[in-house]
Amino acid sequence: MSEDSKEARIVRKAVGEAEAGLKGLEKELRGVVKQFEKGAMTPAKGKAAAQKVTAFMKKQSQVTKLQNAPFFGELPLDVQDGVTWLDSVVNELNNVLGRLASALKLMQKKPDKDYGILVKASKELESYISQPPKGVGTLLKAAKAGKAAGDPMMAFLPFIILMWMIIDTVARGLNRKK
């Protein structure tokens, strides 16, 4: 087997670090969902989770841009596949992140006053997930039935559904890598 070029080693390492970063991100976001299920969610925790997602995305943009580098076609196929895989995961995450700013704003709403807005946003986001986590699904059912007015976790429901969408996207991306 021939020796990899310096560029190939650097890119392979970057893709490996990105994969490890995705696994870490998924684990951290699952912790945020657990905080919600325990009723311990706060706007600060939500904002911190959102910042972790955007920081990961910014870090990976340099790796995905390598597809346009003049040496990309000379890299081994497995390295090219790794960059292409990462680019597809980042693109899928970008589609979900388009909703992040509005979900963060919804966390500032009052669960009793703005109940209708929160339910509508939650229902809209729910259509993008297959199976919500247990605590999220329970609150979502209560909200649809009109029984969750005033629940302090209602303000976080759209955000948590969005976090679950991100977790699902990351999990699907990691499964494609295997």
Side-chain angles (χ1 to χ4, degrees):
M1 187 170 159
S2 66
E3 187 79 18
D4 276 344
S5 68
K6 180 180 177 184
E7 290 89 1
R9 287 191 305 271
I10 292 169
V11 173
R12 184 176 278 125
K13 181 180 177 193
V15 170
E17 288 172 357
E19 184 176 1
L22 274 172
K23 289 176 184 175
L25 182 65
E26 179 184 20
K27 185 176 180 181
E28 286 186 44
L29 295 181
R30 286 185 186 274
V32 171
V33 173
K34 287 196 187 318
Q35 291 290 316
F36 173 84
E37 291 172 351
K38 292 177 184 175
M41 189 67 192
T42 64
K45 290 177 183 177
K47 191 172 183 179
Q51 288 172 340
K52 287 177 184 176
V53 174
T54 53
F56 173 81
M57 297 295 286
K58 285 179 185 172
K59 186 176 179 182
Q60 302 318 314
S61 68
Q62 295 302 315
V63 180
T64 60
K65 287 179 183 176
L66 290 173
Q67 290 179 342
N68 299 326
F71 62 84
F72 185 75
E74 299 167 14
L75 293 172
L77 284 178
D78 67 315
V79 176
Q80 290 181 28
D81 289 345
V83 174
T84 305
W85 163 79
L86 180 60
D87 186 53
S88 71
V89 173
V90 167
N91 283 334
E92 287 178 33
L93 284 172
N94 272 330
N95 291 337
V96 176
L97 287 180
R99 298 178 177 93
L100 189 59
S102 63
L104 287 170
K105 286 180 187 172
L106 287 170
M107 284 196 304
Q108 306 304 319
K109 300 282 184 192
K110 303 284 182 229
D112 48 355
K113 246 183 170 176
D114 302 311
Y115 182 72
I117 295 168
L118 294 168
V119 171
K120 182 179 177 186
S122 298
K123 282 182 180 179
E124 181 184 318
L125 288 173
E126 180 199 20
S127 67
Y128 295 103
I129 59 174
S130 55
Q131 181 67 36
K134 191 161 76 173
V136 175
T138 304
L139 184 58
L140 197 53
K141 283 181 186 174
K144 286 180 183 177
K147 298 177 182 173
D151 186 321
M153 290 295 111
M154 265 309 293
F156 301 106
L157 188 58
F159 177 78
I160 290 299
I161 293 172
L162 183 67
M163 288 292 109
W164 192 251
M165 289 168 60
I166 293 170
I167 290 168
D168 187 48
T169 302
V170 168
R172 280 185 285 121
L174 288 170
N175 285 338
R176 279 197 317 262
K177 179 74 171 146
K178 293 177 184 176

